């Protein structure tokens, strides 16, 4: 906990790829391909994570301790034994929350400015 | 679709092969998954083919690079941390390499600033050609006519001092007298006004001059109306017609810097150099040749063509040349120092030797240290290898370590070079002319240093990397990590390094020792003269605008007045002073029926010169006033000359015939001008005295010299040093001010210059040599320290790494005495081998250097007989080496075998 603020400062603003991968893992554990699909679906095909980039990102996230290999496997029917599933660590959740807050603040400011501009126009 | 899936299949296997190139760590973690995911994703990748495939591969390529970069940065940080943890080691390594790199870049910087640098201001410097010896004007006319060789040609006289006066200021400014196509041949256009060109071929109206940008800014105050401004040159009215571009100081700024250019057509009315119909005399070789060769014409072609022409001219004149070699030597005219292309390698080679040695010692020092450290880390490396790290990765780590040290050293070395070169550029050569080196560091030197550093880093990192990552894991993982019982131990890398270190250090020490001490002997030897308190001051009335008749009156008047001043012991006018002779002279003597031709340094001196300078007259007498009368032919010879020619007989009364007369400007490059002159009718001179030898240049033994009395002509045609008044005074007198005021009292319009005491003058002359001496001494001292430290470190380490082996021997019954004997004998053998190689190498190097540099030859000769140097250098290194063997050996031999066996 001690390095909590420092870690956040160092990692924020989050690289876009990192953000998307972590966002995919926010609600469920996924394997690599699953993350790819989820991101593509979520952004309507606008953001595509290519394999090498994806695993590069996963490696970095693992190193930083933001994600970890999941211990619990999904129910037997959906499980693929050879794949590795990833889930967010508590640090990862905190970072994700912090980044989301930062982005929300940004959006709020933009909206406020737009209102002002429109009212002036 | 089928072809698509086939091509996809091929692409996929290619992809799979590429993935293997990922760094080990990433591969272990993700290789399988990556391939799996790619397979899964092939549907939508195919969907977008061919862009899909392209995107896929580019994605992979980018990630590969990123992964490797991350690894390298990680390695860098890791190695840097390791280095920081061992500050002493890092410090020693960095400092040793930095001095070596500094030596290398300084040398290159000097080359760059002189031989490799283009003459500033000229266009297409590669096309310019010059001749190493000056020629006569008729010869120039002849060469000029051969248009097939040259695009354009020019000739100029240099160095030329001008007595310049403007707005009441009087100054002595250096410049060239040039033909009309000088500026066009060089490709120089005016910054303001115009340069001299074809219009100035014929003399018309007021003589025109071009001034340099520097002169315009510092002396004329950047006057915007400078064009057309009146200026007096040598007393004659001239007009400034143009300002040369910034940075241009003539065609040979390193030797004959020019701030003023006068057209040849101005003739002898302005310039005394052109007096006596100089343009028609074939013996007046005062013109420097400049040519822009046509494209496609090689310098060698030009050389042979001109050579043929020169021979033809000589035989036409009735005096065919007798030399077999080249008469004409072509050199590149566009570089600051004109040298022949072949000579470039030669110039570069010599100081390289010392520097290469320094680099060798420094590198082997550092390599040794790195090896030692790498072997310390062997356990760590073995473990890494065992768990699967690639050998390449580990080698990369160790090479990075080497690179880090080299980078630190490179940065430090470069900073040192900048500082050194800055100092060097401010050195003034002790000549009457303001020649200045500009060897400041520029981009090229930086690039060179970076290259040198990289190479060095690779070199010092590679050897330990290869050696230490040798995958012999089993011994390393066991306790006996450092047991080295290989059969061929004699030629192990470490031993070779010790030997090469010893050899290199010894060579460096011997060579620098001999040179330094030799030079010191020569320099500290008696100069041959003892001038006491003597003040020198020069005047040049001709260039102040006075006619020869007027000038002639000044001299005796000033002399009488100065002599009459209280405190003045004696005074004389003289052209030459010690260490600034009047040139060289060829002469013939008749000894025992056979004629011999010799060369000697010539001093043209006034009466009383010997007494004032404290030069002993060994036989006969010095000069008296009567010797200066027209028709008299007295000559004084030096001791060296007398001994060479007449051995022990009394030379007084003998005759010497002078070959030709050289009224030619003193050539800075080699102290003489090539004499194409014709043998003039017999002019025998009578020897009236023998003078003691006097030092001519600070680093060489005095050679043969002759002294000639001042003649009327000497007074009326002063050389560029002017005519000097030497005044010897009693101790506590301010010679400069009283003499100057006396001269001013007689004629306030005379410009005085080069006013200094004789001690100052000697000091100046010695200065440059002192610098050279200092740097050699420094290099030698540094080499000594490096060598000792390196030798000590290596032998100490090699002994202490044998602790395990020693423990076994002790356990098996060896006595400490036996251990010591073993180690000392092995160490001594290495040191002996190194010494022999070192001595042999040193002899070779000195022989080569002596053959090519005369002062080196002399100083080596001088100190050769002094065995102290050889013994001293050898002794120091041998003692250091043996001590470095002995102390750790003693320590290990005393240790409890059990402890030794347990230790790694």
């Amino acid at each position: 906990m001690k390095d909590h603020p420092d870690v956040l400062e160092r990692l924020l603003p989050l690289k876009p790829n990192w953000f998307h991968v972590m966002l995919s893992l926010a609600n469920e554990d996924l394997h690599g391909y699953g993350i790819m699909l989820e991101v593509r679906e979520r952004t309507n095909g606008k953001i595509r994570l290519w394999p090498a980039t994806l695993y590069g990102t996963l490696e970095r996230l693992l190193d930083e301790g933001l994600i970890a290999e999941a211990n619990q496997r999904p129910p037997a029917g959906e499980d693929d034994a050879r794949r590795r599933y990833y889930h967010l660590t508590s640090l990862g959740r905190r970072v994700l929350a912090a980044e989301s807050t930062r982005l929300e603040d940004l959006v709020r400011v933009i909206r406020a400015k737009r209102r002002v501009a429109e009212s002036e126009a | 679709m089928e072809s698509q899936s086939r091509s996809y299949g091929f692409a996929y296997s290619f992809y799979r092969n590429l993935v293997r190139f990922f760094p080990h760590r990433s591969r272990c973690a993700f290789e399988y998954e990556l391939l799996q995911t790619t397979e899964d994703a092939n549907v939508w990748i195919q969907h977008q083919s061919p862009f899909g495939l392209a995107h896929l591969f580019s994605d992979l390529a980018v990630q590969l690079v990123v992964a490797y970069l991350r690894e390298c940065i990680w390695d860098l940080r890791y190695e840097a941390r390791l280095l920081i943890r061992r500050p002493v080691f890092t410090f020693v390594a960095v400092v040793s390499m930095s001095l070596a790199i500094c030596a290398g870049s300084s040398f290159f910087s000097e080359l760059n600033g002189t031989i490799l640098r283009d003459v500033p201001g000229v266009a297409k410097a590669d096309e310019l050609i010059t001749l190493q010896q000056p020629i006569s004007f008729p010869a120039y006319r002849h060469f000029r006519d051969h248009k097939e060789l040259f695009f354009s040609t020019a000739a100029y006289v240099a160095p030329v001092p001008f007595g310049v006066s403007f707005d009441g200021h009087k100054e002595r400014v250096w410049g060239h007298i040039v033909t009309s196509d000088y500026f066009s041949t060089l490709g120089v256009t005016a910054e303001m006004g115009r340069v001299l060109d074809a219009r100035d071929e014929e003399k018309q109206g007021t003589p025109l001059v071009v001034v340099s940008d520097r002169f315009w800014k510092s002396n004329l105050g950047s006057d915007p109306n400078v064009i057309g401004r009146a200026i007096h040159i040598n007393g004659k009215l001239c007009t400034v017609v143009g300002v040369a571009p910034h940075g241009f100081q003539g065609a040979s700024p390193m030797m004959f810097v020019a701030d003023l250019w006068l057209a040849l057509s101005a003739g002898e009315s302005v310039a005394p150099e052109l007096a006596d119909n100089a343009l028609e005399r074939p013996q007046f070789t005062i013109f420097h040749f400049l040519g822009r060769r046509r494209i496609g014409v090689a310098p060698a072609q030009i050389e042979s063509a001109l050579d043929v022409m020169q021979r033809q001219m000589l035989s036409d004149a009735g005096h065919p040349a007798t030399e077999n070699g080249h008469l004409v030597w072509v050199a590149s005219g566009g570089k600051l120092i004109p040298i022949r292309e072949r000579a470039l390698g030669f110039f570069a080679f010599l100081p390289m030797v010392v520097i290469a040695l320094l680099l060798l010692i420094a590198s082997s020092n550092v390599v040794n240290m790195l090896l030692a450290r790498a072997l310390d880390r062997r356990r760590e490396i073995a473990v890494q290898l065992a768990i699967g790290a690639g050998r390449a990765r580990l080698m990369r780590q160790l090479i990075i370590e080497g690179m880090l040290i080299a980078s630190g050293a490179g940065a430090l070395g470069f900073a040192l070079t900048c500082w050194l070169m800055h100092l060097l550029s401010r050195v003034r050569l002790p000549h009457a002319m303001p020649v200045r080196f500009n060897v400041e560091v520029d981009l090229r030197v930086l690039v060179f240093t970076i290259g040198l550093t990289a190479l060095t880093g690779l070199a010092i990192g590679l050897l330990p990397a290869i050696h230490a990552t040798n995958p012999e894991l089993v011994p390393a993982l066991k306790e006996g990590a450092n047991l080295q019982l290989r059969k061929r131990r004699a030629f192990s890398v470490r031993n070779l390094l010790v030997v090469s270190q010893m050899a290199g250090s010894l060579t460096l020490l011997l060579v620098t020792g001999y040179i330094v001490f030799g030079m010191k002997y020569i320099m500290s030897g008696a100069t041959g003269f003892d001038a006491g308190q003597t003040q020198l001051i020069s005047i040049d009335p001709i260039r102040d605008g006075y006619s020869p008749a007027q000038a002639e009156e000044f001299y005796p008047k000033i002399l009488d007045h100065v002599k009459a001043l209280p405190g003045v012991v004696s005074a004389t006018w003289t052209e030459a002073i010690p260490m600034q002779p009047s040139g060289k002279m060829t002469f013939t003597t008749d000894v025992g029926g056979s004629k011999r031709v010799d060369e000697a340094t010539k001093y043209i001196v006034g009466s009383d010169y010997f007494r004032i300078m404290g030069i002993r007259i060994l036989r006969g007498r010095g000069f008296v006033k009567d010797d200066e009368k027209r028709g008299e032919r007295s000559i004084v010879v030096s001791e060296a000359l007398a001994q060479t020619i007449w051995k022990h007989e009394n030379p007084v009364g003998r005759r010497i015939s002078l070959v030709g007369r050289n009224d030619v400007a003193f050539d800075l490059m080699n102290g003489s001008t090539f004499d194409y002159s014709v043998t003039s009718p017999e002019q025998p001179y009578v020897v009236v005295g023998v003078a003691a030898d006097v030092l001519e240049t600070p680093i060489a033994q005095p050679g043969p010299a002759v002294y000639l009395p001042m003649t009327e002509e000497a007074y009326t045609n002063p050389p560029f040093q002017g005519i000097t008044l030497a005044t010897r005074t009693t101790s506590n007198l301010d010679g400069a001010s009283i003499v100057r005021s006396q001269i001013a009292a007689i004629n306030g319009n005379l410009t005085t210059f080069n006013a200094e005491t004789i001690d100052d003058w000697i000091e100046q002359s010695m200065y440059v040599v002192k610098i050279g001496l200092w740097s050699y001494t420094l290099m030698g001292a540094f080499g000594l320290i490096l060598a000792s430290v390196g030798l000590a470190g290596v032998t100490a380490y090699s002994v202490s790494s044998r602790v395990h082996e020693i423990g076994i021997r002790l356990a098996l019954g060896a006595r400490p005495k036996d251990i010591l004997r073993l180690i000392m004998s092995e160490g001594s053998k290495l040191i002996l081998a190194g010494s022999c190689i070192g001595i042999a190498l040193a002899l070779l190097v000195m022989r080569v250097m002596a053959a090519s540099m005369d002062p080196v030859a002399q100083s080596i000769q001088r100190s050769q007989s002094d065995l102290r140097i050889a013994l001293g250098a050898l002794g120091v290194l041998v003692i250091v080496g043996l001590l470095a063997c002995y102390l750790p050996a003693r320590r290990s031999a005393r240790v409890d075998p059990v402890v030794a066996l347990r230790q790694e």
Side-chain angles (χ1 to χ4, degrees):
Chain A
M1 299 304 156
K2 264 178 289 180
D3 52 8
H4 180 69
D6 296 327
V7 169
L8 286 184
E9 235 176 75
R10 189 166 48 93
L11 293 174
L12 261 52
L14 258 165
K15 289 200 249 289
N17 281 344
W18 290 27
F19 178 68
H20 285 294
V21 168
M22 286 167 74
L23 200 56
S24 314
L25 297 176
N27 296 326
E28 50 176 342
D29 297 346
L30 288 171
H31 54 64
Y33 186 51
I35 297 175
M36 269 172 92
L37 288 176
E38 207 272 350
V39 168
R40 201 168 60 128
E41 237 178 76
R42 186 163 30 89
T43 59
N44 278 328
K46 260 194 269 184
I47 297 189
R48 269 187 272 268
L49 291 171
W50 292 79
T53 312
L54 171 69
Y55 282 99
T57 309
L58 285 175
E59 188 178 352
R60 302 291 306 278
L61 290 173
L62 277 171
D63 282 342
E64 293 283 353
L66 298 172
I67 64 176
E69 209 173 312
N71 292 323
Q72 292 172 308
R73 313 288 288 190
E78 294 168 17
D79 187 14
D80 184 342
R82 296 165 302 165
R83 296 188 195 273
R84 295 203 303 196
Y85 285 78
Y86 301 96
H87 80 127
L88 277 180
T89 59
S90 55
L91 176 63
R93 283 193 192 280
R94 278 201 299 275
V95 170
L96 188 60
E99 176 72 0
S100 308
T101 316
R102 186 188 77 91
L103 288 171
E104 280 166 353
D105 286 339
L106 212 56
V107 170
R108 215 192 343 255
V109 168
I110 293 170
R111 291 220 174 108
K113 290 256 173 201
R114 209 183 284 165
R115 253 181 277 130
V116 170
E118 276 169 4
S119 64
E120 276 182 4
Chain B
M1 261 305 131
E2 231 215 55
S3 62
Q4 240 180 20
S5 47
R6 233 192 301 141
S7 68
Y8 186 71
F10 169 73
Y12 184 69
S13 61
F14 186 48
Y15 188 83
R16 201 176 11 189
N17 284 322
L18 281 182
V19 168
R20 286 218 202 99
F21 281 101
F22 264 99
H24 188 83
R25 187 175 180 246
S26 316
R27 274 183 66 195
C28 288
F30 295 113
E31 184 176 4
Y32 174 73
E33 275 183 78
L34 182 60
L35 292 173
Q36 194 67 22
T37 310
T38 313
E39 256 192 60
D40 294 336
N42 83 44
V43 173
W44 56 264
I45 293 176
Q46 267 196 322
H47 218 55
Q48 309 160 57
S49 68
F51 295 118
L53 276 181
H55 206 141
L56 185 71
F57 279 97
S58 68
D59 171 56
L60 183 65
V62 168
Q63 287 300 312
L64 260 172
V65 171
V66 168
Y68 271 108
L69 267 178
R70 279 187 64 206
E71 274 215 339
C72 281
I73 293 177
W74 194 90
D75 284 339
L76 253 166
R77 279 211 223 121
Y78 177 65
E79 290 294 337
R81 257 192 315 227
L82 283 184
L83 283 175
I84 292 174
R85 254 188 245 154
R86 298 277 213 106
V88 175
F89 165 81
T90 313
F91 179 76
V92 173
V94 168
V95 170
S96 355
M97 289 308 311
S98 74
L99 279 149
I101 290 181
C102 171
S105 341
S106 305
F107 173 70
F108 181 77
S109 186
E110 277 172 39
L111 260 192
N112 184 43
T114 54
I115 297 175
L116 296 179
R117 186 168 286 174
D118 288 344
V119 172
V122 305
K124 293 207 218 116
D126 301 321
E127 294 172 4
L128 289 173
I129 286 285
T130 185
L131 299 179
Q132 285 207 309
Q133 275 80 25
I135 57 178
S136 66
F137 203 74
Y140 167 65
R141 281 207 196 97
H142 210 85
F143 292 164
R144 183 180 60 183
D145 291 335
H146 281 260
K147 299 231 187 302
E148 75 279 5
L149 294 172
F150 298 108
F151 186 68
S152 89
T153 60
Y156 62 99
V157 183
V160 178
F162 293 111
V164 176
S165 91
F166 52 92
D167 293 346
H169 287 286
K170 276 176 156 288
E171 272 178 60
R172 198 168 169 83
V173 179
W174 297 90
H176 297 171
I177 301 176
V178 302
T179 56
S180 55
D181 31 18
Y182 174 87
F183 287 98
S184 60
T185 306
L186 287 173
V188 173
T189 51
E191 187 180 76
M192 283 176 72
R194 67 167 180 90
V195 288
L196 300 172
D197 54 31
R199 284 174 272 184
D200 309 294
E201 186 84 36
E202 293 299 318
K203 179 182 166 86
Q204 11 158 279
T206 336
L208 302 171
V209 294
V210 176
V211 299
S212 74
D213 180 80
R214 179 171 76 175
F215 184 79
W216 173 60
K217 288 204 173 100
S218 54
N219 302 48
L220 297 176
S222 303
D223 177 10
N225 300 318
V226 69
I227 310 298
R229 182 164 165 172
I231 194 173
H232 282 83
I233 309 276
N234 295 347
K236 310 293 182 299
L237 181 67
C238 299
T239 316
V240 176
V241 71
V243 177
H246 178 70
F248 181 67
Q249 306 279 166
S252 45
M254 188 116 265
M255 294 184 297
F256 311 121
V257 73
D259 279 305
L260 207 64
W261 294 272
L262 180 72
L264 199 63
S265 56
E268 51 183 290
S269 63
V270 179
E273 283 83 3
L274 301 177
D276 281 342
N277 206 13
L279 295 183
E280 303 302 331
R281 309 260 294 260
Q283 314 95 304
F284 266 40
T285 53
I286 57 171
F287 294 89
H288 294 272
F289 178 80
L290 204 58
R292 184 176 286 279
R293 59 187 171 89
R294 288 194 182 273
I295 308 180
V297 179
Q301 262 178 281
I302 295 179
E303 191 172 78
S304 29
L306 292 183
D307 199 62
V308 167
M309 277 187 249
Q310 182 71 23
R311 282 184 194 273
Q312 187 66 39
M313 276 193 287
L314 282 176
S315 68
D316 284 346
H319 299 276
T322 46
E323 299 92 13
N324 286 332
H326 278 243
L327 290 180
V328 170
W329 299 90
V330 159
S332 77
K335 300 293 176 196
L336 276 180
I337 291 187
I339 54 171
R340 299 163 57 72
E341 283 164 13
R342 272 183 275 155
L344 180 61
F346 174 87
F347 267 87
F349 168 67
L350 284 170
M352 273 299 214
V353 171
V354 176
I355 288 169
L357 279 174
L358 211 59
L359 265 168
L360 179 69
I361 296 173
S363 310
S364 63
N365 255 2
V366 179
V367 167
N368 266 325
M369 289 197 279
L370 283 175
L371 256 182
R373 263 169 61 80
L375 287 165
D376 263 344
R377 293 167 62 182
R378 246 177 126 200
R379 203 138 207 270
E380 168 208 338
I381 290 172
V383 170
Q384 282 182 304
L385 283 171
I387 59 173
R391 188 173 175 196
R393 171 88 196 267
L394 292 174
M395 277 180 64
R396 198 170 63 215
Q397 267 190 352
L398 291 170
I399 291 178
I400 285 181
E401 191 179 36
M403 288 288 208
L404 272 176
I405 293 177
S407 322
L412 189 60
F414 187 70
L416 273 173
T417 307
C418 288
W419 177 69
L420 219 73
M421 290 298 109
H422 184 69
L423 276 186
L424 213 65
S425 298
R426 301 175 60 177
V427 164
R428 238 198 72 155
L429 279 189
H431 279 288
M433 277 187 27
V435 171
R436 191 162 287 209
F437 292 117
N438 180 9
V439 290
E440 298 267 4
V441 165
D442 69 2
L443 191 66
R444 257 193 253 172
V445 177
L446 181 63
V447 170
F448 175 82
T449 313
I450 292 178
L452 186 65
T453 309
L455 229 85
T456 316
L458 198 66
I460 63 177
L462 204 61
L463 191 59
I466 295 176
H467 194 74
T469 57
N470 202 337
E472 287 171 1
L473 300 179
V474 174
L477 285 174
K478 283 203 190 151
E479 286 271 325
N482 289 311
L483 204 54
Q484 290 176 40
L485 291 175
R486 284 189 300 255
K487 242 192 292 187
R488 286 284 183 141
R489 186 143 59 140
F491 289 105
S492 78
V493 174
R494 195 97 55 70
N495 287 352
L496 278 173
L497 278 169
V498 172
V499 170
S500 75
Q501 180 116 322
M502 182 75 196
S505 325
L506 192 59
T507 310
L508 180 68
L509 283 181
L510 284 176
V511 170
T512 51
Y514 273 119
I515 294 179
V516 167
F517 282 107
M519 285 193 184
K520 277 221 172 99
Y521 284 148
I522 295 179
M523 275 178 72
S524 65
T527 47
F529 54 89
D530 178 15
Q533 277 277 86
T534 300
Q535 178 70 32
L536 303 169
I537 194 166
S538 309
I539 63 170
D540 193 345
I542 303 291
R543 293 195 176 83
D544 277 329
Y546 293 98
S547 71
Q550 287 170 314
E552 257 191 300
E553 284 180 14
F554 291 135
Y555 293 104
K557 222 196 266 180
I558 296 177
L559 191 63
D560 292 334
H561 275 85
V562 166
K563 271 189 173 163
L565 288 172
V568 170
V569 172
S570 184
T572 184
W573 289 105
T574 177
E575 190 185 284
I577 55 178
M579 296 217 254
Q580 192 176 281
S582 307
K584 284 215 192 276
M585 162 129 291
T586 322
F587 60 96
T588 63
T589 42
D590 220 315
V591 180
S594 59
K595 206 172 187 192
R596 55 180 289 173
V597 184
D598 292 283
E599 205 184 53
T601 314
K602 175 175 71 170
Y603 294 85
I604 299 181
V605 300
S607 53
D608 269 358
Y609 174 84
F610 297 102
R611 199 144 40 101
I612 291 177
M613 295 298 171
I615 301 176
R616 285 186 311 138
I617 300 289
L618 301 171
R619 288 199 214 244
R621 60 171 179 85
F623 290 130
V624 295
K625 208 72 192 111
D626 286 340
D627 290 316
E628 294 183 13
K629 288 222 252 306
R630 195 188 287 269
E632 287 296 318
R633 294 209 193 288
S634 313
I635 194 170
V636 172
V637 300
S638 74
E639 195 180 348
L641 193 152
Q643 279 198 342
T644 318
I645 299 193
W646 293 290
K647 311 280 187 292
H648 299 293
E649 298 171 10
N650 189 353
V652 177
R654 304 277 187 156
R655 287 168 186 277
I656 289 182
S657 297
L658 306 182
V659 175
R661 274 191 324 118
N662 280 336
D663 292 340
V664 177
F666 184 55
D667 184 334
L668 279 171
M669 279 294 273
N670 45 21
S672 71
T673 53
F674 205 100
D675 190 5
Y676 294 129
S677 63
V678 169
T679 311
S680 45
E682 291 288 298
Q683 304 178 356
Y685 275 69
V686 180
V687 176
V688 299
V690 180
D693 284 326
V694 163
L695 212 58
E696 193 184 315
T697 65
I699 49 175
Q701 302 274 32
V706 296
Y707 295 88
L708 292 167
M710 296 277 284
T711 57
E712 190 184 295
E713 204 184 62
Y715 282 111
T716 56
N717 197 357
F720 64 80
Q721 310 103 292
I723 303 290
T724 309
L725 178 68
T727 316
R728 186 162 180 151
T729 62
T730 54
S731 328
N732 37 18
L733 230 51
D734 180 6
S737 51
I738 58 172
V739 174
R740 213 185 260 131
S741 52
Q742 190 57 240
I743 294 179
I746 295 181
N747 187 329
N749 284 330
L750 281 175
T751 326
T752 58
F753 50 93
N754 286 353
E756 57 203 344
T757 63
I758 194 113
D759 286 334
D760 289 340
W761 165 245
I762 307 295
E763 184 71 35
Q764 260 185 56
S765 309
M766 300 284 211
Y767 186 62
V768 175
V769 181
K770 279 207 188 129
I771 293 185
L773 261 187
W774 257 111
S775 30
Y776 269 114
T777 312
L778 221 69
M779 279 201 260
F782 183 64
L784 178 65
I785 297 175
L786 256 189
S788 316
V789 165
L791 202 59
V794 159
T795 37
Y797 183 79
S798 112
V799 167
S800 59
S801 68
R802 294 169 69 176
V803 163
H804 197 85
E805 172 201 342
I806 293 174
I808 293 183
R809 287 180 193 265
L810 285 173
L812 290 176
R815 288 163 301 173
K817 236 192 323 184
D818 299 324
I819 304 288
L820 266 174
R821 203 163 358 123
L822 172 71
I823 293 183
M824 292 304 289
S825 76
E826 289 193 9
S828 314
K829 275 189 225 147
L830 286 177
I831 291 177
L832 187 66
S835 310
C836 293
I837 298 178
I839 292 177
L841 209 61
L843 284 174
L844 181 66
V845 168
M846 284 198 288
R847 172 102 20 116
V848 171
M849 286 180 89
S852 28
M853 281 177 8
D854 208 41
V856 172
Q858 290 205 359
S859 45
I860 289 180
Q861 222 178 13
R862 194 73 179 65
S863 49
Q864 226 172 29
S865 43
D866 196 343
L867 279 177
R868 283 183 298 174
I869 300 170
L871 290 178
L874 194 61
V876 167
L877 287 178
V878 166
I879 290 177
V880 166
L882 288 177
L883 260 179
C885 280
Y886 177 70
L887 291 174
R890 203 166 75 128
R891 199 161 25 123
S892 322
R894 290 229 223 98
V895 164
D896 185 355
V898 179
V899 176
L901 278 170
R902 259 215 304 255
Q903 191 176 355
E904 297 173 298

